[in-house]
Amino acid sequence: MKLETSKPTLTAYSSDGSIYSVAPHGVVFVRSIADITESINFARKNRLSITPRGAGTGLAGGAIGSGVILDFSNYKKVIEINQSDQYAIVEPGIIYDELNIVLHQYRLCFPPDPSSGDSCQIGGMIANNSSGPRSVKYGLTSDFVEELDVIQPNGKMVHLKKFPLDSSDLQKFFINNPEYKMIYNLISDNRDKILDRWPKLKKNSSGYNLKVVAEELGKGIFNLPALYVGSEGTLGIFMSAKLRLLPISGEILTARLYFKSLVKAGEAVREILAIGPSGLEIIDGSTLNLIGREKFHIPSDAAAVLIVEFDDNTDSKKLALSKISRKFGLITPIEFAHDISSTAELWRARKAIVPTLYRHHANRRPIPLIEDVSISPEKVPAFIEYVTSIFDSHQLTYGIFGHIGDGNLHIRPLFDMNDDNEFNLACNLYQKVYEHVIEIGGSTTAEHADGRLRASLVNKLYGKDVYKIFRKIKNILDPDNILNPDVIISDIPFTEGIDYKKLELYCAACGKCNGYCPAYDLFRREDFSPRGWLRIMHQSDEKRKELNKYLAFCLNCKNCATVCPAGVDIASEIIKFRAIKPSVTSRIVSAFADNES
């Protein structure tokens, strides 16, 4: 184990894709099991916390902590692929898209499809119970995790799988691991209470994943991997995962439908779901105004757009969708696309929302506060009208979009969090909107997890009885609260630890640039990545000579600017940073960059 403690490294790892900043004590770049166990021993000896970290793309602050950060980016082997039984065993640091590229030659795929798939890691997906636009058909990460190898906070390694309740294997497992017998009894004794209190939704990644465990008990199975999926590194540290795979679909049909009202769009969703789409997205009219209707050839009177995708029986489903659409008086005929380029054109408006929001105002940013609610699909139109009426009353700019097929909405109002009035408004809307979500039977998070952002809401969402069960599980598996404290189980206000300086920048800190950077590809470290470089330039207060040891690896390839949702060019930022105390060369290059821009 080698603990990195340089100021630039700690600065880079004090942030993730969220609005928060927490400075760590040190960072360990995991390459072996010994690195993990030695880190645990070091942390326990020095009374420090342990925070496992994948790509740091999460929006809720689950990948940062004040103790030791375990970066799994180089722990990324594909251990086994079994084509006939359709499973893969992988280490947690492999990136989602990298895994699917490997699986493609076997005509298989790992179906959960997060929008950060080009940069997020499998371990982070398991930690957050991630999903994406195609979850309406394929479900969540938890639906595909078969087995897990985990290191507990005491350094003990344990293999977790789905045990039949009547098996001798389970009894042997309980003898060797009595803590899981306690958890079994706790969930079994409270099974009806858990299922009764759980939100009746297709997607929910808040709290511990007890609904799946409780349901599986009713089928005669103790599903231990499900307990850990969505636990955000608070119960154990993943070493490897056995993932269920599916065959690759050979066909794709995408359609875009324009509606005169949100109500009509909501009514259409019920019928569209009946014909089995693989994806179903919504964009509301106000958001269409924001991104520019003419730019994306969107009718001026469209109050909502649905984007529908099918990946099987496309001919018959095209006919079925056309038949359904006649009932709802669409503004224009359905736009269909069968090939990749035409499909990308239909998705352009959806993908333009976040970039537009980030560049819309000099000081206001689309702060991810209420950005991942989950409600019943039939309630989505009324909920959008409720939220937009509040936003409009405060004259806010915002984007509302999401996966209406399973009731998952992403809501991004713009705030200047460094302005006291806007900060207070953001806090008030956070409380008001989440309270309404809970009142109508929704969840505070569908796929992005609680982290630090929503931990204080978990008790309100589930009530004190189920929350006590969460606490008991945490205490059984992590009695010293070493693993990722202040995440999921916490009453710390969401405003604690907000990084106000970071929010002044255009950079969303989403981490997408990292997946396209040659330096990051080589080192797979946050301090050798575009996002990390921007942070250490602005926030490390380190001497330039020391920073240049990191910045020197930027090749000025412009990949970061090409893929950045906000259009931030880190390479140009580095050139300008060096030009503050310029050499002759840096002055010339900086002047050239200014002329080009």
Side-chain angles (χ1 to χ4, degrees):
M1 179 201 89
K2 181 180 179 182
L3 188 71
E4 297 277 353
T5 58
S6 73
K7 188 181 292 185
T9 298
L10 298 186
T11 302
Y13 280 89
S14 66
S15 178
D16 58 1
S18 72
I19 60 176
Y20 298 105
S21 176
V22 178
H25 175 84
V27 182
V28 173
F29 300 99
V30 176
R31 293 181 180 272
S32 67
I33 293 173
D35 286 334
I36 304 172
T37 55
E38 289 173 17
S39 296
I40 290 174
N41 292 336
F42 174 83
R44 296 188 73 90
K45 181 179 178 181
N46 292 278
R47 296 185 178 182
L48 298 169
S49 64
I50 289 277
T51 297
R53 178 181 174 117
T57 58
L59 295 174
I64 52 178
S66 61
V68 177
I69 302 290
L70 298 183
D71 185 338
F72 279 85
S73 299
N74 281 294
Y75 199 64
K76 56 184 177 66
K77 293 178 184 175
V78 177
I79 299 169
E80 180 185 352
I81 297 174
N82 189 308
Q83 188 172 16
S84 58
D85 291 336
Q86 298 185 352
Y87 70 79
I89 300 175
V90 302
E91 291 176 342
I94 188 167
I95 292 173
Y96 173 81
D97 278 3
E98 290 178 346
L99 174 60
N100 276 313
I101 289 171
V102 175
L103 295 175
H104 191 271
Q105 61 187 301
Y106 299 91
R107 303 301 300 164
L108 296 170
C109 70
F110 180 51
D113 184 30
S115 60
S116 59
D118 52 3
S119 49
C120 72
Q121 297 173 12
I122 295 298
M125 289 182 63
I126 296 171
N128 288 349
N129 198 9
S130 300
S131 57
R134 294 171 182 85
S135 58
V136 64
K137 178 176 181 178
Y138 294 110
L140 314 179
T141 296
S142 60
D143 297 312
F144 295 91
V145 178
E146 297 294 307
E147 299 177 11
L148 288 172
D149 285 315
V150 171
I151 296 183
Q152 296 178 324
N154 59 6
K156 178 181 177 182
M157 290 180 278
V158 60
H159 180 72
L160 305 175
K161 61 181 183 178
K162 301 174 183 180
F163 289 98
L165 296 182
D166 57 359
S167 69
S168 59
D169 283 350
L170 179 59
Q171 299 311 312
K172 291 177 184 177
F173 180 82
F174 282 155
I175 291 171
N176 294 324
N177 305 279
E179 63 273 24
Y180 291 103
K181 176 65 172 177
M182 297 169 63
I183 289 174
Y184 167 78
N185 290 335
L186 180 63
I187 297 175
S188 181
D189 292 346
N190 292 279
R191 180 174 178 271
D192 291 341
K193 183 183 297 181
I194 291 167
L195 293 177
D196 180 66
R197 191 65 181 83
W198 216 264
K200 308 303 187 283
L201 302 165
K202 293 183 178 181
K203 290 174 73 172
N204 174 25
S205 64
S206 179
Y208 293 131
N209 196 19
L210 301 191
K211 176 177 180 283
V212 172
V213 181
E215 288 177 337
E216 293 280 282
L217 288 180
K219 300 173 184 177
I221 300 291
F222 188 23
N223 187 344
L224 272 171
L227 175 65
Y228 281 77
V229 178
S231 63
E232 298 192 73
T234 64
L235 300 181
I237 301 168
F238 306 143
M239 294 184 296
S240 69
K242 180 179 179 181
L243 307 174
R244 182 170 65 90
L245 308 174
L246 291 180
I248 292 174
S249 173
E251 51 184 334
I252 294 288
L253 172 69
T254 306
R256 196 157 69 176
L257 295 75
Y258 304 106
F259 291 84
K260 295 178 181 178
S261 72
L262 275 170
V263 173
K264 288 295 183 183
E267 291 173 356
V269 165
R270 289 194 291 268
E271 298 201 29
I272 293 171
L273 286 173
I275 59 176
S278 56
L280 183 51
E281 298 280 294
I282 190 170
I283 311 172
D284 85 300
S286 298
T287 305
L288 296 174
N289 292 336
L290 175 70
I291 61 175
R293 292 174 182 264
E294 290 186 6
K295 181 178 179 181
F296 296 100
H297 312 294
I298 297 168
S300 60
D301 52 347
V305 171
L306 292 182
I307 303 173
V308 190
E309 186 175 277
F310 302 101
D311 63 5
D312 63 346
N313 304 313
T314 55
D315 289 340
S316 62
K317 291 186 176 182
K318 181 177 181 179
L319 291 173
L321 183 63
S322 297
K323 184 177 180 180
I324 289 171
S325 69
R326 297 188 195 110
K327 301 179 182 180
F328 298 100
L330 298 184
I331 294 171
T332 66
I334 301 176
E335 296 179 2
F336 286 107
H338 294 268
D339 60 89
I340 294 175
S341 60
S342 299
T343 294
E345 178 62 28
L346 294 191
W347 280 96
R348 271 206 320 132
R350 164 68 167 83
K351 294 179 182 294
I353 297 170
V354 173
T356 302
L357 289 171
Y358 266 96
R359 287 293 186 179
H360 185 76
H361 193 274
N363 301 316
R364 296 183 179 126
R365 301 288 178 265
I367 305 298
L369 294 180
I370 45 177
E371 47 72 48
D372 188 44
V373 301
S374 179
I375 54 181
S376 299
E378 64 272 13
K379 296 180 181 179
V380 166
F383 179 78
I384 291 176
E385 290 181 337
Y386 166 81
V387 172
T388 56
S389 67
I390 295 175
F391 291 168
D392 290 341
S393 70
H394 292 286
Q395 298 179 323
L396 292 174
T397 301
Y398 54 88
I400 299 178
F401 54 97
H403 324 314
I404 191 173
D406 45 29
N408 180 193
L409 285 180
H410 301 309
I411 305 169
R412 292 292 194 100
L414 269 64
F415 296 106
D416 179 357
M417 298 294 277
N418 288 285
D419 179 287
D420 288 343
N421 291 329
E422 295 196 26
F423 172 82
N424 291 332
L425 176 60
C427 292
N428 290 336
L429 293 184
Y430 173 96
Q431 299 294 341
K432 186 171 186 176
V433 173
Y434 277 134
E435 285 176 5
H436 182 71
V437 168
I438 294 171
E439 285 173 5
I440 63 175
S443 170
T444 51
T445 179
E447 59 188 13
H448 294 166
D450 297 306
R452 299 166 185 276
L453 178 64
R454 289 174 281 261
S456 62
L457 298 170
V458 176
N459 195 358
K460 295 178 182 179
L461 177 62
Y462 290 103
K464 62 180 182 179
D465 291 339
V466 172
Y467 190 72
K468 284 181 182 178
I469 298 172
F470 290 160
R471 279 194 173 277
K472 288 179 180 178
I473 289 171
K474 172 69 170 173
N475 290 336
I476 291 170
L477 293 177
D478 184 21
D480 298 319
N481 197 26
I482 287 175
L483 293 180
N484 224 4
D486 304 331
V487 170
I488 298 181
I489 306 298
S490 174
D491 56 7
I492 296 175
F494 82 95
T495 52
E496 186 76 21
I498 291 178
D499 188 345
Y500 296 99
K501 188 171 183 180
K502 172 182 174 180
L503 296 181
E504 294 176 354
L505 305 175
Y506 282 119
C507 174
C510 63
K512 193 175 186 68
C513 54
N514 290 7
Y516 297 85
C517 175
Y520 181 79
D521 189 50
L522 176 64
F523 294 103
R524 293 180 78 101
R525 291 173 48 151
E526 189 68 36
D527 48 358
F528 289 94
S529 75
R531 178 178 64 174
W533 290 331
L534 187 69
R535 184 167 183 83
I536 65 176
M537 283 190 292
H538 284 276
Q539 295 185 248
S540 71
D541 297 322
E542 182 59 281
K543 296 178 181 178
R544 289 175 175 276
K545 183 178 178 181
E546 292 301 312
L547 292 185
N548 280 331
K549 295 177 182 178
Y550 300 84
L551 303 179
F553 288 91
C554 174
L555 301 181
N556 196 27
C557 66
K558 303 294 186 180
N559 284 355
C560 54
T562 301
V563 301
C564 176
V568 178
D569 185 344
I570 306 296
S572 293
E573 293 289 330
I574 291 174
I575 291 170
K576 291 176 182 178
F577 175 79
R578 287 171 171 166
I580 294 173
K581 189 175 181 181
S583 64
V584 173
T585 302
S586 64
R587 280 201 303 268
I588 295 171
V589 175
S590 180
F592 176 77
D594 287 337
N595 290 333
E596 287 294 302
S597 61

